[in-house]
Coordinates of all heavy atoms in Angstrom, one line a residue:
M204 N -16.1 -20.3 -4.8 CA -15.1 -19.3 -4.1 C -15.6 -19.2 -2.6 O -16.7 -18.8 -2.4 CB -15.1 -18.1 -4.8 CG -14.1 -17.2 -4.4 SD -13.9 -15.7 -5.3 CE -13.2 -16.3 -6.8
S205 N -14.7 -19.4 -1.7 CA -15.1 -19.1 -0.4 C -15.2 -17.8 0.1 O -14.6 -16.9 -0.7 CB -14.0 -19.8 0.6 OG -12.8 -19.3 0.5
L206 N -15.7 -17.6 1.2 CA -15.9 -16.1 1.8 C -14.5 -15.6 1.9 O -14.3 -14.3 1.6 CB -16.6 -16.2 3.1 CG -16.8 -14.8 3.8 CD1 -17.6 -14.0 3.0 CD2 -17.4 -15.1 5.1
H207 N -13.4 -16.2 2.4 CA -12.2 -15.6 2.6 C -11.6 -15.3 1.3 O -10.8 -14.2 1.3 CB -11.3 -16.6 3.5 CG -11.8 -16.9 4.9 ND1 -12.0 -15.9 5.8 CD2 -12.3 -18.0 5.4 CE1 -12.4 -16.3 6.9 NE2 -12.7 -17.6 6.7
S208 N -11.6 -16.1 0.3 CA -11.0 -15.8 -0.9 C -11.6 -14.5 -1.5 O -11.0 -13.7 -2.2 CB -10.9 -16.9 -1.9 OG -12.1 -17.5 -2.2
S209 N -13.0 -14.5 -1.4 CA -13.7 -13.2 -2.0 C -13.3 -12.0 -1.2 O -13.1 -10.9 -1.8 CB -15.2 -13.5 -2.0 OG -15.7 -13.6 -0.7
D210 N -13.1 -12.2 0.1 CA -12.5 -10.9 0.9 C -11.2 -10.7 0.5 O -10.9 -9.3 0.3 CB -12.6 -11.3 2.4 CG -13.9 -11.4 2.9 OD1 -14.9 -10.9 2.4 OD2 -14.0 -11.8 4.2
L211 N -10.4 -11.5 0.3 CA -8.9 -11.2 -0.3 C -9.0 -10.6 -1.7 O -8.3 -9.6 -2.0 CB -8.1 -12.6 -0.4 CG -6.7 -12.4 -0.8 CD1 -6.0 -11.5 0.3 CD2 -6.0 -13.7 -0.8
L212 N -9.8 -11.0 -2.5 CA -10.0 -10.4 -3.8 C -10.5 -9.0 -3.7 O -10.2 -8.1 -4.5 CB -10.8 -11.3 -4.7 CG -10.2 -12.6 -5.3 CD1 -11.1 -13.4 -6.1 CD2 -8.9 -12.2 -6.0
A213 N -11.5 -8.9 -2.9 CA -12.0 -7.5 -2.7 C -11.0 -6.6 -2.1 O -10.9 -5.4 -2.5 CB -13.2 -7.6 -1.8
A214 N -10.2 -7.0 -1.2 CA -9.1 -6.2 -0.6 C -8.1 -5.9 -1.8 O -7.5 -4.7 -1.9 CB -8.4 -7.0 0.5
L215 N -7.8 -6.8 -2.5 CA -6.8 -6.6 -3.7 C -7.4 -5.6 -4.7 O -6.7 -4.6 -5.1 CB -6.5 -7.9 -4.4 CG -5.5 -7.7 -5.6 CD1 -4.3 -7.2 -5.1 CD2 -5.4 -9.1 -6.3
A216 N -8.6 -5.7 -4.9 CA -9.4 -4.6 -5.9 C -9.3 -3.3 -5.3 O -8.9 -2.3 -6.0 CB -10.7 -5.2 -6.2
L217 N -9.6 -3.1 -3.9 CA -9.6 -2.0 -3.3 C -8.2 -1.3 -3.3 O -8.0 -0.2 -3.6 CB -10.1 -2.0 -1.9 CG -10.2 -0.6 -1.2 CD1 -11.1 0.3 -1.8 CD2 -10.6 -0.9 0.2
F218 N -7.2 -2.2 -3.0 CA -5.7 -1.6 -3.2 C -5.3 -1.2 -4.5 O -4.7 -0.1 -4.6 CB -4.8 -2.9 -2.9 CG -3.4 -2.6 -3.0 CD1 -2.7 -1.8 -2.2 CD2 -2.8 -3.2 -4.2 CE1 -1.3 -1.6 -2.4 CE2 -1.5 -2.9 -4.4 CZ -0.7 -2.2 -3.5
L219 N -5.9 -1.8 -5.6 CA -5.6 -1.6 -6.9 C -6.3 -0.1 -7.3 O -5.6 0.7 -7.9 CB -5.9 -2.5 -7.9 CG -5.0 -3.8 -7.9 CD1 -5.6 -4.9 -8.7 CD2 -3.6 -3.7 -8.2
V220 N -7.4 0.1 -6.8 CA -8.1 1.2 -7.1 C -7.5 2.4 -6.3 O -7.1 3.5 -7.0 CB -9.6 1.3 -6.6 CG1 -10.3 2.6 -6.5 CG2 -10.4 0.3 -7.4
L221 N -7.1 2.2 -5.1 CA -6.3 3.3 -4.3 C -5.0 3.6 -4.9 O -4.6 4.7 -4.9 CB -6.2 3.0 -2.6 CG -7.6 2.9 -2.2 CD1 -7.4 2.2 -0.7 CD2 -8.2 4.2 -2.0
E222 N -4.2 2.7 -5.3 CA -2.9 2.8 -5.8 C -3.0 3.6 -7.2 O -2.1 4.3 -7.7 CB -2.2 1.4 -6.2 CG -1.6 0.8 -4.8 CD -0.4 1.7 -4.4 OE1 0.5 2.0 -5.1 OE2 -0.4 2.0 -3.1
G223 N -4.1 3.2 -7.9 CA -4.2 3.9 -9.2 C -4.7 5.5 -9.2 O -4.6 6.1 -10.2
M224 N -5.1 5.9 -8.1 CA -5.8 7.2 -8.0 C -4.7 8.3 -8.3 O -4.9 9.2 -8.9 CB -6.4 7.3 -6.7 CG -7.8 6.7 -6.7 SD -8.6 6.8 -5.0 CE -9.0 8.5 -5.0
A225 N -3.4 8.1 -7.5 CA -2.6 9.1 -7.5 C -2.0 9.3 -9.0 O -2.0 10.5 -9.4 CB -1.4 8.8 -6.6
P226 N -1.6 8.3 -9.6 CA -1.0 8.6 -11.1 C -2.1 9.1 -12.0 O -1.7 9.8 -12.9 CB -0.5 7.0 -11.5 CG -0.6 6.3 -10.4 CD -1.4 6.9 -9.3
F227 N -3.4 8.7 -11.7 CA -4.4 9.1 -12.6 C -4.7 10.6 -12.4 O -4.8 11.4 -13.4 CB -5.7 8.4 -12.2 CG -6.7 8.8 -13.2 CD1 -7.1 8.6 -14.5 CD2 -7.9 9.6 -12.6 CE1 -8.1 9.0 -15.2 CE2 -8.9 10.1 -13.4 CZ -9.1 9.7 -14.7
L228 N -4.8 11.0 -11.1 CA -5.1 12.5 -10.8 C -3.9 13.3 -11.0 O -4.1 14.5 -11.4 CB -5.7 12.5 -9.3 CG -7.0 11.8 -9.2 CD1 -7.2 11.7 -7.5 CD2 -8.0 12.4 -9.9
N229 N -2.7 13.0 -10.7 CA -1.4 13.8 -10.8 C -0.2 13.1 -11.1 O 0.6 12.8 -10.2 CB -1.3 14.5 -9.4 CG -0.4 15.7 -9.5 OD1 0.3 16.0 -10.4 ND2 -0.5 16.6 -8.5
P230 N -0.1 12.7 -12.3 CA 1.0 11.8 -12.8 C 2.3 12.5 -12.5 O 3.4 11.9 -12.2 CB 0.8 11.7 -14.3 CG -0.2 12.5 -14.7 CD -1.0 12.9 -13.5
A231 N 2.5 13.9 -12.7 CA 3.8 14.6 -12.6 C 4.2 14.5 -11.0 O 5.4 14.4 -10.8 CB 3.7 16.1 -12.9
A232 N 3.3 14.5 -10.2 CA 3.7 14.5 -8.7 C 4.1 13.1 -8.3 O 5.1 12.9 -7.6 CB 2.5 14.9 -7.7
V233 N 3.6 12.0 -9.0 CA 4.0 10.7 -8.7 C 5.4 10.5 -9.3 O 6.2 9.9 -8.7 CB 2.9 9.8 -9.4 CG1 3.5 8.2 -9.3 CG2 1.7 9.9 -8.7
K234 N 5.7 11.0 -10.5 CA 7.1 11.0 -11.1 C 8.0 11.8 -10.2 O 9.1 11.2 -10.0 CB 7.2 11.6 -12.5 CG 6.4 10.7 -13.4 CD 6.6 11.6 -14.8 CE 5.8 10.7 -16.0 NZ 5.9 11.4 -17.2
R235 N 7.6 12.8 -9.6 CA 8.6 13.5 -8.7 C 8.8 12.7 -7.5 O 10.0 12.6 -6.9 CB 8.0 14.9 -8.4 CG 8.2 15.9 -9.4 CD 8.0 17.4 -9.0 NE 6.6 17.5 -8.2 CZ 5.5 17.8 -8.9 NH1 5.3 18.0 -10.2 NH2 4.3 17.8 -8.2
A236 N 7.8 12.1 -6.9 CA 7.9 11.3 -5.6 C 8.8 10.0 -5.9 O 9.6 9.6 -5.1 CB 6.4 10.9 -5.2
L237 N 8.6 9.3 -7.0 CA 9.4 8.2 -7.3 C 10.9 8.6 -7.6 O 11.7 7.9 -7.1 CB 8.9 7.5 -8.6 CG 7.5 6.8 -8.4 CD1 6.9 6.1 -9.7 CD2 7.6 5.8 -7.3
A238 N 11.1 9.8 -8.2 CA 12.4 10.2 -8.4 C 13.1 10.4 -7.0 O 14.2 10.2 -6.8 CB 12.5 11.4 -9.3
A239 N 12.3 11.2 -6.1 CA 12.8 11.5 -4.7 C 13.1 10.1 -4.0 O 14.0 10.1 -3.2 CB 11.8 12.5 -3.9
L240 N 12.3 9.2 -4.2 CA 12.5 7.8 -3.5 C 13.9 7.2 -3.9 O 14.4 6.4 -3.0 CB 11.4 6.9 -4.0 CG 11.2 5.7 -3.2 CD1 10.8 6.0 -1.8 CD2 10.0 4.8 -3.9
L241 N 14.6 7.6 -5.0 CA 15.7 7.1 -5.2 C 16.9 7.5 -4.4 O 17.8 6.9 -4.0 CB 16.2 7.5 -6.7 CG 15.4 6.7 -8.0 CD1 15.7 7.4 -9.1 CD2 15.5 5.3 -7.8
A242 N 16.6 8.8 -3.8 CA 17.6 9.3 -2.8 C 17.5 8.7 -1.5 O 18.4 8.9 -0.6 CB 17.3 10.8 -2.6
V243 N 16.4 7.9 -1.1 CA 16.3 7.4 0.2 C 17.2 6.1 0.3 O 17.1 5.3 -0.6 CB 14.7 7.0 0.4 CG1 14.6 6.2 1.7 CG2 13.9 8.2 0.3
G244 N 17.7 5.9 1.4 CA 18.6 4.7 1.5 C 17.8 3.4 1.8 O 16.6 3.5 2.2
D245 N 18.4 2.3 1.6 CA 17.8 1.1 1.7 C 17.2 0.8 3.2 O 16.1 0.3 3.4 CB 18.8 -0.2 1.3 CG 19.0 -0.2 -0.1 OD1 18.4 0.4 -0.9 OD2 19.9 -1.0 -0.4
R246 N 18.0 1.3 4.1 CA 17.6 0.9 5.4 C 16.3 1.9 5.8 O 15.3 1.2 6.4 CB 18.8 1.5 6.5 CG 18.4 1.3 7.9 CD 19.6 1.6 8.8 NE 19.3 1.7 10.2 CZ 18.9 0.8 11.1 NH1 18.9 -0.5 10.6 NH2 18.6 1.0 12.3
E247 N 16.3 3.0 5.4 CA 15.1 3.9 5.7 C 13.9 3.4 4.8 O 12.7 3.5 5.4 CB 15.4 5.3 5.3 CG 16.4 6.1 6.1 CD 17.8 5.7 5.8 OE1 18.1 5.1 4.8 OE2 18.7 6.1 6.6
L248 N 14.1 3.0 3.7 CA 13.0 2.3 2.9 C 12.3 1.0 3.5 O 11.2 0.8 3.6 CB 13.4 2.0 1.5 CG 12.4 1.8 0.4 CD1 11.3 2.8 0.5 CD2 13.0 1.6 -0.9
R249 N 13.4 0.2 4.0 CA 12.9 -1.0 4.8 C 12.2 -0.6 6.0 O 11.2 -1.3 6.3 CB 14.0 -1.9 5.2 CG 14.6 -2.6 3.8 CD 15.6 -3.8 4.4 NE 15.9 -4.5 3.3 CZ 17.1 -4.5 2.7 NH1 18.1 -3.6 3.1 NH2 17.4 -5.2 1.7
L250 N 12.6 0.3 6.7 CA 11.9 0.7 7.9 C 10.5 1.3 7.7 O 9.6 1.0 8.4 CB 12.8 1.8 8.8 CG 14.0 1.2 9.5 CD1 14.9 2.3 10.0 CD2 13.4 0.2 10.5
A251 N 10.4 2.1 6.6 CA 9.2 2.6 6.2 C 8.2 1.4 5.9 O 7.0 1.5 6.1 CB 9.3 3.5 5.1
G252 N 8.6 0.5 5.1 CA 8.0 -0.7 4.6 C 7.5 -1.5 5.9 O 6.4 -1.9 6.0
L253 N 8.5 -1.7 6.9 CA 8.1 -2.5 8.0 C 7.0 -1.7 8.9 O 6.0 -2.3 9.3 CB 9.4 -2.6 8.9 CG 9.0 -3.2 10.3 CD1 8.5 -4.6 10.0 CD2 10.4 -3.4 11.1
G254 N 7.2 -0.4 8.9 CA 6.1 0.5 9.6 C 4.8 0.3 9.0 O 3.8 0.3 9.7
S255 N 4.8 0.3 7.8 CA 3.5 0.3 6.9 C 2.8 -1.1 7.1 O 1.6 -1.2 7.4 CB 3.8 0.5 5.4 OG 2.6 0.3 4.7
M256 N 3.6 -2.1 7.2 CA 3.1 -3.5 7.4 C 2.6 -3.5 8.8 O 1.4 -4.1 9.1 CB 4.2 -4.6 7.1 CG 4.5 -4.7 5.7 SD 5.6 -6.1 5.4 CE 7.0 -5.7 6.3
I257 N 3.3 -3.0 9.8 CA 2.8 -3.2 11.2 C 1.5 -2.4 11.4 O 0.5 -2.8 11.9 CB 3.9 -2.6 12.1 CG1 5.0 -3.6 12.2 CG2 3.3 -2.4 13.5 CD1 6.3 -3.1 13.0
V258 N 1.5 -1.2 10.8 CA 0.2 -0.4 10.9 C -0.9 -1.1 10.2 O -2.1 -1.3 10.7 CB 0.3 1.1 10.3 CG1 -1.0 1.7 10.2 CG2 1.3 1.7 11.1
G259 N -0.7 -1.6 9.0 CA -1.7 -2.5 8.4 C -2.3 -3.7 9.1 O -3.4 -3.9 9.2
V260 N -1.3 -4.4 9.7 CA -1.7 -5.6 10.5 C -2.5 -5.2 11.8 O -3.6 -5.8 12.1 CB -0.5 -6.4 10.9 CG1 -0.9 -7.4 12.0 CG2 0.1 -7.2 9.7
L261 N -2.0 -4.2 12.4 CA -2.9 -3.6 13.5 C -4.2 -3.1 13.1 O -5.2 -3.3 13.8 CB -2.0 -2.4 14.2 CG -0.8 -2.9 15.0 CD1 -0.1 -1.7 15.6 CD2 -1.1 -3.9 16.1
L262 N -4.4 -2.4 12.1 CA -5.6 -2.0 11.4 C -6.5 -3.1 11.2 O -7.6 -3.1 11.4 CB -5.4 -1.0 10.2 CG -6.6 -0.3 9.7 CD1 -7.3 0.5 10.7 CD2 -6.2 0.5 8.6
L263 N -5.9 -4.1 10.5 CA -6.6 -5.4 10.1 C -7.2 -6.0 11.4 O -8.3 -6.4 11.5 CB -5.7 -6.3 9.3 CG -6.4 -7.6 8.8 CD1 -7.7 -7.2 7.9 CD2 -5.5 -8.4 8.1
F264 N -6.5 -6.2 12.5 CA -7.0 -6.8 13.6 C -8.1 -5.9 14.4 O -9.0 -6.4 15.0 CB -5.8 -6.9 14.8 CG -5.1 -8.3 14.6 CD1 -3.7 -8.1 14.2 CD2 -5.6 -9.3 14.6 CE1 -2.9 -9.3 14.1 CE2 -5.0 -10.6 14.4 CZ -3.6 -10.6 14.1
L265 N -7.9 -4.6 14.2 CA -9.0 -3.7 14.8 C -10.2 -3.8 14.0 O -11.4 -3.8 14.6 CB -8.5 -2.2 14.8 CG -7.4 -1.8 15.9 CD1 -6.9 -0.3 15.6 CD2 -8.0 -2.0 17.2
V266 N -10.2 -3.9 12.7 CA -11.4 -4.0 11.8 C -12.0 -5.5 12.0 O -13.2 -5.5 12.1 CB -11.1 -3.7 10.3 CG1 -12.1 -4.0 9.5 CG2 -10.6 -2.3 10.2
R267 N -11.2 -6.4 12.2 CA -11.7 -7.8 12.3 C -12.2 -8.2 13.7 O -12.7 -9.0 14.0 CB -10.7 -8.8 11.6 CG -10.6 -8.7 10.1 CD -11.8 -9.1 9.5 NE -11.7 -9.2 8.1 CZ -12.5 -9.9 7.4 NH1 -13.6 -10.7 7.9 NH2 -12.4 -9.9 6.0

């Protein structure tokens, strides 16, 4: 396994740990947040996703 693929797997593992924390610690709040997400329009959700990706790429460039 090359260094880059092990970095990718480490990043995926960290993502899964962080994603799992909220439902583990407060499942009721996660349910409320997901229910509220249904009220958000597609355009706003896409913009939020785009913003998240841009911030992630910028952060990755800063770290690397």
